[in-house]
Amino acid sequence: MIRLPAAALIAAALFMRAPARDAQAQATPPAPQPTARGGEVHGRVVTVANGSPVRAANVVIMRANDTSIVARGATRDDGVFSVDRLEPGRYHGQVRTLGFSPGNIPNFTITNATSRVNVGSVLLAANAVELQKLTVIEQQRRDIELAPDRNTFAVRDMPTTRGGSAIDVLRNIPSVDVDIDNGISLRGDGGVIVQINGRRSPLKPAQLGNFLSQLPAAMVEKVEIIPNPSARENPDGSAGIINVVLKKEVDAGSSGGVTLAQGTTGRTDIGGNVGFQKKSLTFFGSYGFLHDDRPRTESLFRDNLYASPLTFLDQHTDRTQLVNAHTLTSALTYK
C-alpha cells in the first residue's frame, strides 16, 4: 500500500469535484432579462359584426391603478397593434376610433420573465355618429370696399335711401356733402367731377343736382369715390371723382314701373320707366318730374384766428326756391 500525504489527498478531492460543479453551472439557464425595447403587448382589433379588421384605431395603454397613459399605438391595415417599451407592472388599455364604441383591453402584467403579452382580439361595436348641425349663411358682398385707388359704397342696404332719390344716396356717403341747392362737394371742395357709369356728366352743377334728385335711389347700384384720381382719369385739377353706377341690366321681356312720392314739406316726385328686351335688342326709357318749393334755411359761422384783430362771419339765410324739373332718359342698345 502506498500512503500519500494528507495535502495530496485534499488536492485530489478538490480536482475531482470541479468538473461536476462546472457541469451543474452550465445546465442551469440564466434568468431572463428584459429586452432593449422593454415589455410589449400586442393583439388584434376586429368588429363585432363580422370580425373584419379595424385599421387606424387609436390604442392607449394605462397603468392598472390609475388612468395615466404610459404608451400609445395604432392598428395596421390587418387590425394588428403592438405597443412596446413597457416597464414591468400591471396595465390595461382602451381602443378608440370614429364610428365605433370604445373597446377595452383587459388587465395584463409585464414581468422580466413574461415581457411579451398577447391580449388576443379586441372587439369593437359599430356606433352611429351624429355630427353637429352645419348652418350655411348666404354671404353677400360687403357694403363698403376700400381699395388703394377708390372706395366703393353699395346702395342696396342703405335704409335711409329707400323711397328716396340718388341725391339722398350721396348724402349718406362719407366725405360727400350736398348743400340746400343740391350742389355736390367732396371733402368740402366743390371742384369735384361727377360721373354716371364711368362717363363724365355734361350737366352743369345745378342741372346735375336736379337730375339726381329726381332719379330713384333704387336705380343706383353703387357709388365710387376716387379721392386722388390719376392722370388716366383726366381729373383737371379737381378735388376728386364721384362715380354713380346705375343698374343698367334689364330683365328679358317687357317691364315697367311708376314712382310717386309726396312730402309734407312741398316736394313731389313723379316718374315712370319702361323696358323691353328681345334677343339682341334692348330699349329703356324713363321720365321724371320734380316739384320742390320747400323753404331752405342755411346758417354759416366762421372765425379767422390768424387775423388781427380777430374777425367773425355770422350768416343766416332763409329763402324759398321753386324747382320744376323734367327729366327724360332713353337708351336703345343692340348687342
Side-chain angles (χ1 to χ4, degrees):
M1 175 181 286
I2 301 175
R3 295 182 178 180
L4 298 176
L9 293 175
I10 295 174
L14 294 175
F15 178 77
M16 295 297 293
R17 292 179 180 179
R21 189 181 302 113
D22 294 340
Q24 183 180 2
Q26 294 177 1
T28 303
Q33 299 295 328
T35 62
R37 298 175 58 185
E40 178 182 328
V41 60
H42 58 276
R44 189 166 183 260
V45 180
V46 296
T47 62
V48 176
N50 52 16
S52 59
V54 179
R55 61 182 298 270
N58 295 321
V59 181
V60 294
I61 304 300
M62 300 168 285
R63 295 192 181 276
N65 54 355
D66 57 24
T67 58
S68 60
I69 300 176
V70 297
R72 296 177 182 270
T75 59
R76 303 195 301 259
D77 292 342
D78 56 359
V80 175
F81 68 90
S82 177
V83 181
D84 55 12
R85 302 185 185 278
L86 299 177
E87 299 178 354
R90 288 180 56 80
Y91 301 92
H92 70 101
Q94 195 174 68
V95 180
R96 288 179 176 271
T97 187
L98 185 65
F100 293 88
S101 299
N104 295 321
I105 299 176
N107 293 343
F108 61 91
T109 303
I110 298 292
T111 63
N112 291 333
T114 308
S115 59
R116 290 176 54 87
V117 177
N118 185 0
V119 296
S121 297
V122 180
L123 303 179
L124 296 185
N127 183 19
V129 178
E130 182 179 357
L131 300 179
Q132 185 178 5
K133 294 182 179 179
L134 181 63
T135 303
V136 179
I137 301 176
E138 181 182 2
Q139 182 68 31
Q140 295 183 347
R141 297 185 61 183
R142 293 177 299 176
D143 296 339
I144 302 176
E145 296 182 4
L146 304 180
D149 60 335
R150 69 189 61 201
N151 300 331
T152 304
F153 301 87
V155 180
R156 63 175 180 272
D157 292 329
M158 289 185 180
T160 57
T161 63
R162 295 175 182 174
S165 62
I167 203 70
D168 296 323
V169 172
L170 295 181
R171 285 192 174 98
N172 287 271
I173 302 298
S175 72
V176 176
D177 298 322
V178 181
D179 60 17
I180 59 176
D181 295 323
N182 293 333
I184 303 171
S185 61
L186 182 62
R187 295 175 298 185
D189 192 340
V192 61
I193 295 178
V194 178
Q195 296 180 349
I196 306 296
N197 291 333
R199 300 181 63 180
R200 184 169 182 174
S201 173
L203 300 177
K204 299 298 181 181
Q207 298 172 343
L208 179 62
N210 291 333
F211 168 74
L212 295 177
S213 62
Q214 65 86 36
L215 186 68
M219 295 184 60
V220 182
E221 180 178 359
K222 61 183 178 180
V223 177
E224 297 178 342
I225 304 298
I226 308 175
N228 299 306
S230 62
R232 181 185 61 182
E233 305 289 347
N234 191 21
D236 296 333
S238 68
I241 296 177
I242 301 176
N243 182 27
V244 180
V245 180
L246 304 180
K247 299 176 181 178
K248 297 180 295 183
E249 296 297 331
V250 182
D251 295 334
S254 301
S255 62
V258 177
T259 302
L260 175 62
Q262 176 69 47
T264 58
T265 58
R267 172 174 172 170
T268 303
D269 287 336
I270 301 176
N273 62 83
V274 294
F276 174 78
Q277 181 179 19
K278 184 176 181 181
K279 295 183 179 180
S280 301
L281 183 63
T282 301
F283 170 78
F284 178 79
S286 66
Y287 168 77
F289 170 72
L290 171 66
H291 173 78
D292 191 0
D293 58 356
R294 294 178 297 175
R296 289 168 168 79
T297 301
E298 182 177 9
S299 297
L300 178 64
F301 178 80
R302 294 179 181 176
D303 55 354
N304 191 349
L305 301 179
Y306 297 96
S308 181
L310 187 64
T311 58
F312 301 92
L313 173 62
D314 190 0
Q315 178 178 330
H316 184 78
T317 304
D318 292 316
R319 59 190 173 91
T320 300
Q321 180 179 357
L322 179 62
V323 177
N324 290 315
H326 300 266
T327 303
L328 178 65
T329 61
S330 63
L332 181 63
T333 306
Y334 181 81
K335 294 184 180 180

Short mmCIF file of all heavy atoms in Angstrom, two decimals, residues 275-308:
data_model
loop_
_atom_site.label_atom_id
_atom_site.label_comp_id
_atom_site.label_asym_id
_atom_site.label_seq_id
_atom_site.Cartn_x
_atom_site.Cartn_y
_atom_site.Cartn_z
N GLY A 275 -89.22 99.20 -70.13
CA GLY A 275 -88.09 98.47 -70.68
C GLY A 275 -88.55 97.34 -71.57
O GLY A 275 -89.63 96.76 -71.37
N PHE A 276 -87.76 97.03 -72.56
CA PHE A 276 -88.10 95.95 -73.49
C PHE A 276 -86.79 95.31 -73.95
O PHE A 276 -85.82 96.01 -74.30
CB PHE A 276 -88.88 96.48 -74.70
CG PHE A 276 -89.14 95.45 -75.76
CD1 PHE A 276 -90.14 94.51 -75.60
CD2 PHE A 276 -88.35 95.40 -76.90
CE1 PHE A 276 -90.36 93.55 -76.57
CE2 PHE A 276 -88.57 94.44 -77.88
CZ PHE A 276 -89.59 93.52 -77.72
N GLN A 277 -86.77 94.00 -73.92
CA GLN A 277 -85.58 93.28 -74.37
C GLN A 277 -86.01 92.03 -75.12
O GLN A 277 -86.80 91.23 -74.61
CB GLN A 277 -84.68 92.88 -73.19
CG GLN A 277 -83.41 92.16 -73.63
CD GLN A 277 -82.54 91.78 -72.45
OE1 GLN A 277 -83.00 91.73 -71.32
NE2 GLN A 277 -81.28 91.53 -72.71
N LYS A 278 -85.49 91.87 -76.32
CA LYS A 278 -85.76 90.69 -77.13
C LYS A 278 -84.52 90.39 -77.94
O LYS A 278 -84.10 91.20 -78.77
CB LYS A 278 -86.98 90.92 -78.04
CG LYS A 278 -87.38 89.69 -78.84
CD LYS A 278 -88.63 89.93 -79.65
CE LYS A 278 -89.03 88.68 -80.43
NZ LYS A 278 -90.24 88.91 -81.24
N LYS A 279 -83.94 89.23 -77.66
CA LYS A 279 -82.72 88.80 -78.31
C LYS A 279 -81.63 89.85 -78.14
O LYS A 279 -81.24 90.17 -77.03
CB LYS A 279 -82.97 88.47 -79.78
CG LYS A 279 -83.92 87.29 -79.99
CD LYS A 279 -84.09 86.95 -81.45
CE LYS A 279 -85.02 85.76 -81.64
NZ LYS A 279 -85.22 85.41 -83.06
N SER A 280 -81.17 90.47 -79.22
CA SER A 280 -80.05 91.41 -79.13
C SER A 280 -80.49 92.86 -78.99
O SER A 280 -79.65 93.75 -78.88
CB SER A 280 -79.16 91.28 -80.38
OG SER A 280 -78.65 89.97 -80.50
N LEU A 281 -81.80 93.11 -79.02
CA LEU A 281 -82.31 94.48 -78.98
C LEU A 281 -82.82 94.81 -77.59
O LEU A 281 -83.60 94.05 -77.01
CB LEU A 281 -83.43 94.66 -80.01
CG LEU A 281 -84.01 96.07 -80.14
CD1 LEU A 281 -82.93 97.04 -80.64
CD2 LEU A 281 -85.21 96.07 -81.08
N THR A 282 -82.38 95.94 -77.05
CA THR A 282 -82.80 96.39 -75.73
C THR A 282 -83.18 97.86 -75.79
O THR A 282 -82.43 98.67 -76.35
CB THR A 282 -81.67 96.20 -74.70
OG1 THR A 282 -81.31 94.82 -74.64
CG2 THR A 282 -82.13 96.64 -73.32
N PHE A 283 -84.33 98.18 -75.23
CA PHE A 283 -84.77 99.57 -75.15
C PHE A 283 -85.16 99.88 -73.72
O PHE A 283 -85.81 99.07 -73.04
CB PHE A 283 -85.97 99.83 -76.07
CG PHE A 283 -86.60 101.18 -75.84
CD1 PHE A 283 -86.02 102.34 -76.34
CD2 PHE A 283 -87.77 101.31 -75.09
CE1 PHE A 283 -86.59 103.58 -76.10
CE2 PHE A 283 -88.35 102.54 -74.86
CZ PHE A 283 -87.75 103.69 -75.37
N PHE A 284 -84.76 101.08 -73.27
CA PHE A 284 -85.10 101.50 -71.92
C PHE A 284 -85.36 103.00 -71.94
O PHE A 284 -84.58 103.77 -72.54
CB PHE A 284 -83.97 101.19 -70.94
CG PHE A 284 -84.25 101.64 -69.54
CD1 PHE A 284 -85.08 100.91 -68.71
CD2 PHE A 284 -83.70 102.82 -69.07
CE1 PHE A 284 -85.35 101.34 -67.42
CE2 PHE A 284 -83.96 103.25 -67.78
CZ PHE A 284 -84.78 102.52 -66.95
N GLY A 285 -86.44 103.42 -71.32
CA GLY A 285 -86.76 104.84 -71.26
C GLY A 285 -87.42 105.18 -69.93
O GLY A 285 -88.08 104.34 -69.30
N SER A 286 -87.22 106.42 -69.50
CA SER A 286 -87.81 106.86 -68.24
C SER A 286 -88.11 108.35 -68.30
O SER A 286 -87.47 109.11 -69.03
CB SER A 286 -86.86 106.57 -67.07
OG SER A 286 -85.69 107.35 -67.17
N TYR A 287 -89.11 108.75 -67.52
CA TYR A 287 -89.48 110.16 -67.41
C TYR A 287 -89.71 110.47 -65.94
O TYR A 287 -90.31 109.66 -65.19
CB TYR A 287 -90.74 110.47 -68.21
CG TYR A 287 -91.32 111.84 -67.89
CD1 TYR A 287 -90.73 113.00 -68.41
CD2 TYR A 287 -92.43 111.97 -67.05
CE1 TYR A 287 -91.24 114.25 -68.09
CE2 TYR A 287 -92.95 113.21 -66.75
CZ TYR A 287 -92.34 114.35 -67.26
OH TYR A 287 -92.84 115.58 -66.95
N GLY A 288 -89.22 111.64 -65.51
CA GLY A 288 -89.41 112.05 -64.14
C GLY A 288 -89.72 113.53 -64.04
O GLY A 288 -89.23 114.35 -64.83
N PHE A 289 -90.57 113.86 -63.08
CA PHE A 289 -90.93 115.24 -62.83
C PHE A 289 -90.74 115.51 -61.34
O PHE A 289 -91.21 114.75 -60.49
CB PHE A 289 -92.37 115.52 -63.23
CG PHE A 289 -92.86 116.87 -62.78
CD1 PHE A 289 -92.40 118.03 -63.38
CD2 PHE A 289 -93.77 116.99 -61.72
CE1 PHE A 289 -92.85 119.28 -62.95
CE2 PHE A 289 -94.22 118.22 -61.30
CZ PHE A 289 -93.76 119.38 -61.91
N LEU A 290 -90.05 116.64 -61.06
CA LEU A 290 -89.78 117.04 -59.68
C LEU A 290 -90.35 118.43 -59.45
O LEU A 290 -90.03 119.37 -60.19
CB LEU A 290 -88.27 117.04 -59.40
CG LEU A 290 -87.84 117.65 -58.07
CD1 LEU A 290 -88.35 116.84 -56.90
CD2 LEU A 290 -86.32 117.78 -58.00
N HIS A 291 -91.17 118.53 -58.42
CA HIS A 291 -91.70 119.83 -57.97
C HIS A 291 -91.28 120.01 -56.52
O HIS A 291 -91.60 119.18 -55.66
CB HIS A 291 -93.22 119.87 -58.09
CG HIS A 291 -93.82 121.11 -57.49
ND1 HIS A 291 -93.79 122.33 -58.14
CD2 HIS A 291 -94.46 121.33 -56.31
CE1 HIS A 291 -94.38 123.24 -57.38
NE2 HIS A 291 -94.80 122.65 -56.26
N ASP A 292 -90.55 121.10 -56.28
CA ASP A 292 -89.99 121.30 -54.95
C ASP A 292 -90.04 122.78 -54.61
O ASP A 292 -89.39 123.60 -55.26
CB ASP A 292 -88.54 120.79 -54.89
CG ASP A 292 -88.00 120.74 -53.48
OD1 ASP A 292 -88.74 121.09 -52.54
OD2 ASP A 292 -86.83 120.33 -53.30
N ASP A 293 -90.87 123.14 -53.63
CA ASP A 293 -90.91 124.53 -53.16
C ASP A 293 -90.70 124.58 -51.65
O ASP A 293 -91.33 125.38 -50.95
CB ASP A 293 -92.23 125.20 -53.55
CG ASP A 293 -93.43 124.45 -52.99
OD1 ASP A 293 -93.24 123.38 -52.38
OD2 ASP A 293 -94.57 124.94 -53.15
N ARG A 294 -89.86 123.72 -51.15
CA ARG A 294 -89.57 123.70 -49.72
C ARG A 294 -88.76 124.92 -49.31
O ARG A 294 -87.87 125.36 -50.04
CB ARG A 294 -88.77 122.44 -49.37
CG ARG A 294 -89.54 121.14 -49.57
CD ARG A 294 -88.68 119.94 -49.25
NE ARG A 294 -87.55 119.86 -50.18
CZ ARG A 294 -86.57 118.95 -50.07
NH1 ARG A 294 -86.57 118.10 -49.08
NH2 ARG A 294 -85.59 118.93 -50.95
N PRO A 295 -89.04 125.47 -48.15
CA PRO A 295 -88.19 126.58 -47.65
C PRO A 295 -86.82 126.05 -47.26
O PRO A 295 -86.67 124.94 -46.76
CB PRO A 295 -88.97 127.07 -46.44
CG PRO A 295 -89.80 125.90 -46.01
CD PRO A 295 -90.15 125.15 -47.26
N ARG A 296 -85.81 126.88 -47.52
CA ARG A 296 -84.44 126.48 -47.25
C ARG A 296 -83.83 127.43 -46.23
O ARG A 296 -83.97 128.65 -46.35
CB ARG A 296 -83.62 126.46 -48.54
CG ARG A 296 -83.98 125.32 -49.48
CD ARG A 296 -83.36 125.51 -50.85
NE ARG A 296 -83.46 124.32 -51.66
CZ ARG A 296 -84.55 123.92 -52.31
NH1 ARG A 296 -85.64 124.66 -52.24
NH2 ARG A 296 -84.53 122.82 -53.04
N THR A 297 -83.18 126.85 -45.27
CA THR A 297 -82.53 127.62 -44.22
C THR A 297 -81.08 127.18 -44.12
O THR A 297 -80.79 125.97 -44.09
CB THR A 297 -83.22 127.41 -42.86
OG1 THR A 297 -84.59 127.80 -42.97
CG2 THR A 297 -82.55 128.23 -41.78
N GLU A 298 -80.18 128.16 -44.09
CA GLU A 298 -78.76 127.86 -44.03
C GLU A 298 -78.09 128.84 -43.07
O GLU A 298 -78.34 130.06 -43.12
CB GLU A 298 -78.12 127.98 -45.42
CG GLU A 298 -76.64 127.63 -45.43
CD GLU A 298 -76.06 127.69 -46.83
OE1 GLU A 298 -76.76 128.18 -47.75
OE2 GLU A 298 -74.91 127.26 -47.01
N SER A 299 -77.28 128.32 -42.17
CA SER A 299 -76.54 129.14 -41.21
C SER A 299 -75.06 128.86 -41.39
O SER A 299 -74.64 127.72 -41.56
CB SER A 299 -76.97 128.81 -39.77
OG SER A 299 -78.34 129.12 -39.57
N LEU A 300 -74.26 129.92 -41.34
CA LEU A 300 -72.82 129.82 -41.53
C LEU A 300 -72.13 130.71 -40.51
O LEU A 300 -72.47 131.90 -40.38
CB LEU A 300 -72.44 130.24 -42.96
CG LEU A 300 -70.94 130.23 -43.28
CD1 LEU A 300 -70.39 128.81 -43.20
CD2 LEU A 300 -70.70 130.82 -44.67
N PHE A 301 -71.19 130.15 -39.78
CA PHE A 301 -70.43 130.92 -38.80
C PHE A 301 -68.96 130.57 -38.97
O PHE A 301 -68.57 129.40 -38.94
CB PHE A 301 -70.88 130.61 -37.38
CG PHE A 301 -70.10 131.34 -36.32
CD1 PHE A 301 -70.39 132.67 -36.02
CD2 PHE A 301 -69.06 130.71 -35.65
CE1 PHE A 301 -69.65 133.34 -35.06
CE2 PHE A 301 -68.33 131.39 -34.69
CZ PHE A 301 -68.62 132.71 -34.40
N ARG A 302 -68.13 131.58 -39.15
CA ARG A 302 -66.69 131.37 -39.31
C ARG A 302 -65.94 132.40 -38.47
O ARG A 302 -66.41 133.53 -38.27
CB ARG A 302 -66.27 131.53 -40.77
CG ARG A 302 -66.83 130.48 -41.72
CD ARG A 302 -66.38 130.73 -43.14
NE ARG A 302 -66.92 129.75 -44.07
CZ ARG A 302 -66.74 129.78 -45.39
NH1 ARG A 302 -66.03 130.78 -45.94
NH2 ARG A 302 -67.25 128.85 -46.16
N ASP A 303 -64.77 132.03 -37.99
CA ASP A 303 -63.88 132.98 -37.33
C ASP A 303 -62.47 132.77 -37.85
O ASP A 303 -62.06 131.64 -38.11
CB ASP A 303 -63.93 132.82 -35.81
CG ASP A 303 -63.62 131.40 -35.37
OD1 ASP A 303 -63.48 130.54 -36.25
OD2 ASP A 303 -63.54 131.16 -34.15
N ASN A 304 -61.75 133.84 -38.04
CA ASN A 304 -60.39 133.82 -38.55
C ASN A 304 -59.43 134.03 -37.38
O ASN A 304 -59.26 135.14 -36.87
CB ASN A 304 -60.21 134.92 -39.61
CG ASN A 304 -58.89 134.76 -40.36
OD1 ASN A 304 -58.03 133.97 -39.97
ND2 ASN A 304 -58.75 135.49 -41.46
N LEU A 305 -58.83 132.96 -36.94
CA LEU A 305 -57.94 133.03 -35.77
C LEU A 305 -56.57 133.58 -36.12
O LEU A 305 -55.78 133.88 -35.21
CB LEU A 305 -57.78 131.63 -35.17
CG LEU A 305 -59.08 130.94 -34.70
CD1 LEU A 305 -58.78 129.56 -34.17
CD2 LEU A 305 -59.78 131.79 -33.66
N TYR A 306 -56.27 133.69 -37.42
CA TYR A 306 -54.93 134.15 -37.81
C TYR A 306 -54.91 135.64 -38.14
O TYR A 306 -53.87 136.20 -38.47
CB TYR A 306 -54.45 133.35 -39.03
CG TYR A 306 -54.30 131.90 -38.74
CD1 TYR A 306 -55.31 130.99 -39.06
CD2 TYR A 306 -53.14 131.39 -38.14
CE1 TYR A 306 -55.19 129.63 -38.79
CE2 TYR A 306 -53.00 130.04 -37.87
CZ TYR A 306 -54.03 129.17 -38.19
OH TYR A 306 -53.89 127.84 -37.91
N ALA A 307 -56.06 136.30 -38.11
CA ALA A 307 -56.12 137.73 -38.41
C ALA A 307 -56.07 138.54 -37.11
O ALA A 307 -56.50 138.06 -36.04
CB ALA A 307 -57.38 138.06 -39.19
N SER A 308 -55.56 139.72 -37.20
CA SER A 308 -55.51 140.61 -36.05
C SER A 308 -56.02 141.98 -36.49
O SER A 308 -55.45 142.60 -37.40
CB SER A 308 -54.07 140.72 -35.51
OG SER A 308 -54.02 141.58 -34.38
#
